[in-house]
Amino acid sequence: QVQVVESGGGLVQAGGSLRLSCAASGSILKINAINWYRQGPGKQRELVAAITSGGSTNYADSVKGRFIISRDNAKNTVVLQMNSLKPEDTAVYYCNVHGVGVLSSLDSWGQGTQVTVSS
């Protein structure tokens, strides 16, 4: 069993900042990448940011220069620092973990955390 837990969502005014955390635990042998996705009202889920075990990062064009993803490999945690937030960033944010588990490959999701940006 693998557990993925997000935290840190909330309500913030446009231009503000929020920090999301994702912690993975359980029967994990290796994490290859941790991704943050989001799904806004009436929209499809989209990849926001990703980070590999080696530290390589990737961002959606819409968040480049505003969001920063970082990870603590020893703790299997990832932080998404979101700055200069815009109303269009309003969404449920999900953490997704890719890797290798004790019994099978990993593709695990958290329950999501709501981010609301008011104008």
Side-chain angles (χ1 to χ4, degrees), residues 36-81:
W36 280 100
Y37 285 80
R38 69 184 180 187
Q39 187 165 15
K43 299 181 180 179
Q44 290 188 329
R45 190 172 295 190
E46 63 174 348
L47 179 65
V48 176
I51 188 166
T52 68
S53 58
S56 297
T57 58
N58 186 39
Y59 297 92
D61 288 342
S62 59
V63 306
K64 282 181 181 177
R66 300 189 297 122
F67 290 12
I68 301 171
I69 188 169
S70 60
R71 69 182 286 176
D72 183 333
N73 287 337
K75 297 181 180 179
N76 287 341
T77 60
V78 162
V79 170
L80 184 66
Q81 179 67 42

Side-chain angles (χ1 to χ4, degrees), residues 12-19 66-67 81-86 89 117-118:
V12 64
Q13 288 188 333
S17 298
L18 280 175
R19 184 181 174 95
R66 300 189 297 122
F67 290 12
Q81 179 67 42
M82 306 186 297
N83 302 317
S84 302
L85 284 162
K86 305 175 181 179
D89 294 318
V117 184
S118 62

Side-chain angles (χ1 to χ4, degrees), residues 104-117:
S104 63
S105 60
L106 289 181
D107 182 12
S108 299
W109 293 82
Q111 79 288 350
T113 185
Q114 177 70 47
V115 171
T116 303
V117 184

Side-chain angles (χ1 to χ4, degrees), residues 1-7 20-28 30-31 33-37 45 75-78 93-99 105-113:
Q1 290 281 1
V2 175
Q3 295 80 41
V4 179
V5 179
E6 305 102 335
S7 61
L20 304 183
S21 295
C22 171
S25 62
S27 304
I28 300 171
K30 181 184 178 183
I31 293 178
I34 298 182
N35 312 305
W36 280 100
Y37 285 80
R45 190 172 295 190
K75 297 181 180 179
N76 287 341
T77 60
V78 162
Y93 284 71
Y94 299 90
C95 182
N96 169 239
V97 177
H98 275 260
S105 60
L106 289 181
D107 182 12
S108 299
W109 293 82
Q111 79 288 350
T113 185

